[in-house]
Amino acid sequence: MFFLTMIIRNAFRHKMRTILTIVGVAIAVLAFGLLRTLVGLWYLGVESSSATRLVTRNSISLVFTLPISYKDRISRVRGIEAVSWGNWFGGVYIDPKNFFPNFAVEPKSYLELYPEFVLSPDQKAAFLLDRKGAVAGRKLAAKYGWKVGDQITLKGTIFPGQWDFILRSIYRGAQKSTDETQFFFHWDYLNETLKKTVPRRADQVGYYMIGVSRPDQAAEVAVSVDRLFRNSLAETLTETEKAFQLGFVSMTEAIMIAIKIVSYVVIVIIMAVAANTMAMTARERLGEYATMKTLGFGARHIAVLVFGESVIISAVGGGMGVLLTFPAAHWIKTALSQYFPIFSVSASTVCLEMLAALIVGVVAALFPTWRGATIGIADGLRRIG
Amino acid sequence: MESITVKPPIVQIRNLSKSYRRGSQDIPVLMDINFDIGEGDFIALMGPSGSGKSTLLNLLAGIDKADSGQIMIGGVDITSLSETELAGWRSANIGFIFQFYNLIPVLTAFENVELPLLLTRLSRKERREHVETALRLVNLADRMDHYPSQLSGGQQQRVAIARAIITDPVILVADEPTGDLDKVSAIEILNFIDRLNHEFGKTVIMVTHDPRAAEKARLIRHLDKGVLSSG
Ligand SMILES: Nc1ncnc2c1ncn2[C@@H]1O[C@H](COP(=O)(O)OP(=O)(O)OP(=O)(O)O)[C@@H](O)[C@H]1O
Ligand SMILES: [Mg+2]
């Protein structure tokens, strides 16, 4: 009790210095938490992709297409339950900065293959019937204030022109991790328009989506599909959806790794700052430590004082950082919803944040403790006066 | 045969030497010191600056290590004690008074005096009683909750005196206890130390430059260039 009082009074001897350290730790922990959340969500997105879905694309690159005629041959491969296909449309809504993913898909098979997009039965029927119909995720629709029945015009980037759609349905995600910012419409609408405007680009598919009955069949099915088209004009590459997503964003993964590293660097920096502050503090108090040792106190007591002060300061900073993480995450979710449809802080991130703060406190106390514990009494006393 | 009835001295220093290394050079500070102090004595150690007074005081108070020689205090050779044993021995046997009071700034007068008692088995209540008695003895009962920064130099030194006697040690060591005080406060402090010697029988070893302070002592020893002389 006596020591706790002493530790707390010591911590607030230099109010400004302590407050700045606390704020520094809080900001570092906050940055650490947000960066970890970002990385975690990215991997969650990859992980939530299905293991029973395969994606077949042109083996050369994603920008090359496959003929629509492959559809029938693919669906005859053993183990395949469903085949759908689509094109990345890359349309822009009013302004290029309004980014959201939009695709042309074969609607019926697509919705069967992606049960996590939940449509109400009557809206689904209306969508399937309307060749110019489109579906948007709940978050996306909320963002632009779209209602079912609205006409939505996208400006094509890959497929030039103004494309008009009627919003027939708004889907919601079956799970919390389901992306609710997607937009998709009838592949036939795209294809038939192309037949009239740019015939050589018609009847081309960006990728096939394949459903297999069991995950363990995926590898075998992938090999069978690719074997079908070996030595043909457009060879295929079939991967699990997960691998496809990872490949699609392999550049992003490098960025994620960089972000991960930065999140640790932030902690290391604040560790150095806190250690320097504690060393400065302990240097000023060497005389006091020597006095206490004169009175019979030992290295153990000095260690309690230094560690206690350091850990309390970083725990307060860490606690503040954790508390700030939630409003900050909420703000990111609201302000940047097109990039981060979900941005929720996990319990493990909070634990990591507190752990990081604790490590900062302990590491910062190491050198000053050693100094205070080992200094000779006579040497320490000479520093007074 | 001389007086066999005399009690053995409480402090016996034999062939004590200490030098400091500065670079590759050995600088001798104390050279072959031999010196006894009787129980209840009041000794003033005088000498020019740098003569080794503080060093000698630190050695016999067990806060510094000698190079060679023996320091017997109350029958214990403290040069043979380990660091931890020495810490325990100090807290039980020595009271310290410093030139700059060495109070802990974040602790009140009361808490500063209580500090040495935290190493004992005394209960909170017993500690409180002891501390109040000690502070009353130095006329600071009304300043118990003041922090050192709220006290004058003389008052701070009185708190330090209360802290020095709180564990009831046999020996008080004081290194220039009046060195940082005005004349009036200095006299006051010297009177307290004198009282502790007279009334409470404490053995006092005091380093001082101040002839007025030395007058209070029963015995004056001079240290010059590491060599001790009497008178
Ligand atoms: N840690 C040390 N390292 C090197 N030299 C030291 C050390 N401590 C003391 N000395 C030297 O030992 C000598 C004696 O020092 P000491 O402090 O005992 O002198 P003093 O008699 O108390 O002087 P003053 O009256 O100024 O307090 C001095 O020359 C001092 O420079
Ligand atoms: Mg000195």
Side-chain angles (χ1 to χ4, degrees):
Chain A
M1 195 52 218
F2 191 98
F3 272 85
L4 189 62
T5 315
M6 193 163 167
I7 287 168
I8 290 169
R9 287 193 204 151
N10 267 337
F12 289 95
R13 243 156 108 168
H14 295 283
K15 287 201 182 55
M16 200 56 184
R17 188 193 289 175
T18 302
I19 288 170
L20 287 177
T21 311
I22 287 177
V23 168
V25 173
I27 291 174
V29 163
L30 171 65
F32 177 77
L34 293 179
L35 294 176
R36 305 293 310 178
T37 303
L38 179 68
V39 172
L41 289 177
W42 185 80
Y43 280 102
L44 184 73
V46 171
E47 248 131 54
S48 67
S49 46
S50 165
T52 56
R53 290 197 293 247
L54 299 172
V55 178
T56 301
R57 61 167 171 97
N58 190 301
S59 69
I60 302 168
S61 146
L62 262 171
V63 296
F64 291 91
T65 51
L66 298 169
I68 185 67
S69 57
Y70 282 13
K71 171 190 71 179
D72 295 327
R73 294 173 66 189
I74 290 174
S75 53
R76 281 198 295 270
V77 172
R78 256 171 53 110
I80 289 185
E81 291 211 315
V83 179
S84 186
W85 60 93
N87 281 75
W88 171 259
F89 183 66
V92 162
Y93 181 61
I94 304 171
D95 190 292
K97 78 171 171 14
N98 295 332
F99 170 84
F100 55 84
N102 47 79
F103 317 91
V105 295
E106 196 293 304
K108 202 164 173 301
S109 53
Y110 183 73
L111 289 176
E112 274 162 19
L113 213 45
Y114 286 80
E116 62 261 46
F117 297 145
V118 182
L119 282 65
S120 74
D122 47 332
Q123 287 186 1
K124 182 175 168 183
F127 166 59
L128 292 177
L129 277 176
D130 184 357
R131 207 176 54 91
K132 291 176 95 170
V135 177
R138 185 164 60 167
K139 287 210 173 107
L140 183 66
K143 180 161 192 237
Y144 297 114
W146 294 339
K147 292 178 301 297
V148 171
D150 284 359
Q151 177 176 314
I152 292 159
T153 304
L154 298 188
K155 187 167 161 288
T157 54
I158 303 167
F159 305 98
Q162 298 290 328
W163 301 75
D164 295 329
F165 307 98
I166 308 291
L167 191 66
R168 288 300 177 197
S169 176
I170 293 172
Y171 75 83
R172 65 177 174 78
Q175 286 126 28
K176 203 170 176 230
S177 62
T178 307
D179 184 1
E180 290 183 338
T181 66
Q182 296 197 5
F183 182 94
F184 49 87
F185 58 89
H186 290 242
W187 183 82
D188 281 346
Y189 175 38
L190 172 70
N191 198 46
E192 276 155 36
T193 312
L194 288 176
K195 272 183 183 158
K196 280 178 258 164
T197 53
V198 227
R200 75 185 156 78
R201 292 184 68 181
D203 291 333
Q204 295 291 318
V205 168
Y207 46 89
Y208 287 96
M209 295 157 276
I210 297 170
V212 293
S213 28
R214 292 198 321 269
D216 57 316
Q217 292 176 320
E220 196 190 317
V221 168
V223 172
S224 312
V225 171
D226 290 344
R227 198 185 298 125
L228 270 183
F229 303 105
R230 188 171 304 152
N231 299 325
S232 65
L233 214 51
E235 292 197 349
T236 62
L237 175 66
T238 304
E239 314 167 288
T240 60
E241 189 175 61
K242 188 164 175 168
F244 175 73
Q245 282 209 6
L246 277 171
F248 191 62
V249 288
S250 65
M251 227 256 305
T252 349
E253 179 162 41
I255 294 171
M256 287 302 146
I257 291 167
I259 290 176
K260 237 179 174 169
I261 293 169
V262 168
S263 75
Y264 289 121
V265 168
V266 169
I267 294 301
V268 171
I269 290 173
I270 194 65
M271 211 178 259
V273 172
N276 183 47
T277 309
M278 283 312 295
M280 189 154 63
T281 304
R283 191 158 53 239
E284 289 166 3
R285 298 189 191 154
L286 282 178
E288 286 163 39
Y289 299 150
T291 303
M292 290 187 66
K293 282 166 124 182
T294 305
L295 300 177
F297 290 91
R300 196 161 46 92
H301 300 100
I302 308 298
V304 168
L305 286 179
V306 182
F307 267 99
E309 183 172 347
S310 183
V311 168
I312 282 184
I313 287 178
S314 44
V316 171
M320 273 172 56
V322 167
L323 290 183
L324 286 173
T325 307
F326 293 96
H330 183 78
W331 179 82
I332 290 176
K333 196 154 97 182
T334 323
L336 303 170
S337 60
Q338 76 262 47
Y339 302 109
F340 305 111
I342 47 168
F343 201 88
S344 50
V345 185
S346 68
S348 69
T349 298
V350 170
C351 291
L352 270 180
E353 284 184 306
M354 277 321 285
L355 187 70
L358 198 69
I359 292 174
V360 167
V362 169
V363 169
L366 287 178
F367 174 72
T369 300
W370 174 79
R371 199 70 187 96
T374 56
I375 188 167
I377 299 177
D379 284 337
L381 289 178
R382 227 190 311 278
R383 289 166 185 267
I384 300 175
Chain B
M1 287 288 275
E2 278 182 347
S3 54
I4 338 162
T5 55
V6 164
K7 274 206 283 181
I10 188 161
V11 178
Q12 292 174 295
I13 294 174
R14 295 288 174 269
N15 312 106
L16 188 68
S17 295
K18 167 96 180 166
S19 52
Y20 286 109
R21 278 195 85 78
R22 207 168 284 159
S24 60
Q25 229 184 327
D26 262 351
I27 300 171
V29 178
L30 298 173
M31 284 170 285
D32 199 29
I33 304 274
N34 286 284
F35 170 32
D36 287 358
I37 300 170
E39 190 163 355
D41 266 357
F42 187 164
I43 287 206
L45 263 179
M46 301 190 74
S49 186
S51 56
K53 303 182 297 293
S54 295
T55 305
L56 178 57
L57 199 69
N58 288 346
L59 287 176
L60 62 84
I63 56 178
D64 206 353
K65 283 274 179 201
D67 295 342
S68 62
Q70 254 197 341
I71 306 168
M72 299 288 293
I73 296 181
V76 179
D77 179 8
I78 66 164
T79 58
S80 67
L81 296 183
S82 75
E83 206 64 54
T84 330
E85 289 168 331
L86 211 49
W89 176 84
R90 273 198 309 271
S91 64
N93 294 285
I94 309 282
F96 290 88
I97 304 168
F98 305 93
Q99 178 175 359
F100 300 105
Y101 334 125
N102 292 19
L103 299 178
I104 307 296
V106 290
L107 300 181
T108 62
F110 183 96
E111 291 163 337
N112 264 289
V113 178
E114 189 186 10
L115 199 54
L117 292 184
L118 295 176
L119 295 167
T120 67
R121 289 167 189 279
L122 294 184
S123 72
R124 204 184 161 80
K125 190 162 159 285
E126 289 167 318
R127 292 204 304 262
R128 167 159 283 279
E129 283 162 10
H130 279 67
V131 173
E132 282 173 0
T133 310
L135 281 170
R136 229 175 285 129
L137 195 77
V138 294
N139 295 334
L140 280 176
D142 55 337
R143 297 292 162 98
M144 289 201 290
D145 296 326
H146 285 53
Y147 286 93
S149 61
Q150 300 165 327
L151 297 171
S152 73
Q155 288 169 332
Q156 290 189 56
Q157 195 62 301
R158 274 146 64 192
V159 174
I161 289 174
R163 180 180 66 184
I165 57 171
I166 193 72
T167 54
D168 199 22
V170 255
I171 299 173
L172 286 182
V173 300
D175 196 345
E176 303 191 30
T178 59
D180 208 43
L181 294 175
D182 63 89
K183 205 169 142 191
V184 180
S185 303
I187 291 171
E188 191 184 44
I189 293 301
L190 285 170
N191 286 337
F192 274 115
I193 294 176
D194 194 35
R195 231 185 111 193
L196 291 173
N197 175 245
H198 267 98
E199 258 177 59
F200 297 87
K202 306 281 178 212
T203 307
V204 178
I205 309 161
M206 176 174 73
V207 167
T208 187
H209 281 294
D210 180 359
R212 254 180 309 120
E215 262 171 38
K216 292 273 181 193
R218 250 186 272 167
L219 209 63
I220 300 178
R221 292 298 201 110
H222 283 278
L223 198 60
D224 200 357
K225 299 203 176 84
V227 181
L228 198 65
S229 62
S230 51

